[in-house]
Amino acid sequence: NNEFDDDGDLIICRLSDKRRVTLQDFRGKNLISIREYYKKDGKELPSSKGISLTEEQWSTLRKNIPNIEKAVRKMESHTM
Amino acid sequence: NNEFDDDGDLIICRLSDKRRVTLQDFRGKNLISIREYYKKDGKELPSSKGISLTEEQWSTLRKNIPNIEKAVRKMESHTM
C-alpha cells in the first residue's frame, strides 16, 4: 500500500498540503527529496522549490537534529 | 561562537560544501532552511535551490524519520 507520485517516486510523508518528502531513485542512487508540488492537467508534479539530498547529506542532517532542535528552542526563548 | 551567513541567518550545519541548514527568523517565525548557497562578490548567498520549513513542517519531518529510514533501507535492498 505504498503511495507514489505522478513521477513514480515513493511518497514517504506530507509536510503540508503541497509539500512532500519522497524517495527518488536517481541513476541507481537514492535521493531524499523535500519538495513542493503543483498541479498541472490533473497531475501533481514536483516544483523547483525544494531540495533533493543524497544519502550522505541526509545522514548528516539526521545527525544534526539535536543541534537543530537546540537552535530552534534557543531562538524561541529569545523571541518570547 | 555561533556562525552566521551573509544574510544574518544562523548556520546550524553544513550538508556539503554548498548546502547548509540554517535557522531564519522570518517575521517573528522560525524557519528551518535546507538550502544551497552560491558565491557572489565574496559573499555566500542562499540560492533558490532549497526549502524553508515552518516549525510545524519540521516537526512532521522529524516524526517521519523512522519512515524515511525504512524507505531508504527498503530501496537499498531492492537495488543490491
Side-chain angles (χ1 to χ4, degrees):
Chain A
N1 50 3
N2 287 330
E3 193 190 358
F4 296 88
D5 69 17
D6 289 318
D7 268 6
D9 297 327
L10 176 66
I11 300 170
I12 302 173
C13 67
R14 289 161 198 273
L15 303 181
S16 74
D17 188 39
K18 291 192 291 181
R19 294 180 164 192
R20 300 168 181 181
V21 181
T22 62
L23 190 63
Q24 287 174 263
D25 178 3
F26 182 72
R27 296 176 186 172
K29 288 196 176 179
N30 280 325
L31 292 181
I32 295 97
S33 191
I34 308 167
R35 193 167 296 279
E36 208 161 286
Y37 280 65
Y38 67 99
K39 283 195 182 171
K40 195 190 172 190
D41 303 330
K43 288 191 175 187
E44 290 195 275
L45 299 168
S47 76
S48 63
K49 204 169 177 180
I51 196 160
S52 296
L53 303 175
T54 65
E55 280 195 60
E56 197 187 346
Q57 291 164 2
W58 165 253
S59 168
T60 305
L61 174 65
R62 208 162 36 87
K63 282 178 203 147
N64 273 283
I65 285 171
N67 294 331
I68 299 171
E69 291 296 297
K70 209 169 74 178
V72 170
R73 282 197 304 272
K74 199 173 174 184
M75 182 82 98
E76 277 171 349
S77 70
H78 280 190
T79 52
M80 286 196 317
Chain B
N1 51 3
N2 286 332
E3 192 189 359
F4 295 88
D5 68 17
D6 290 319
D7 268 5
D9 297 326
L10 176 68
I11 300 170
I12 302 173
C13 67
R14 288 162 200 274
L15 302 181
S16 74
D17 187 38
K18 291 192 289 180
R19 294 181 165 191
R20 300 170 180 178
V21 181
T22 62
L23 191 63
Q24 287 174 264
D25 177 3
F26 182 71
R27 298 180 186 168
K29 289 196 176 181
N30 280 324
L31 292 181
I32 295 95
S33 191
I34 308 167
R35 193 167 294 280
E36 208 162 287
Y37 280 64
Y38 67 99
K39 283 193 183 172
K40 195 189 171 188
D41 303 331
K43 288 192 175 187
E44 290 196 274
L45 298 168
S47 77
S48 64
K49 206 169 175 177
I51 197 160
S52 296
L53 303 175
T54 63
E55 280 195 59
E56 197 188 348
Q57 291 165 1
W58 166 253
S59 167
T60 305
L61 175 65
R62 209 161 37 87
K63 281 177 203 148
N64 273 283
I65 285 172
N67 293 332
I68 300 172
E69 291 296 297
K70 209 169 74 178
V72 170
R73 283 198 304 273
K74 199 173 174 184
M75 183 82 98
E76 277 171 348
S77 70
H78 281 188
T79 51
M80 286 196 316

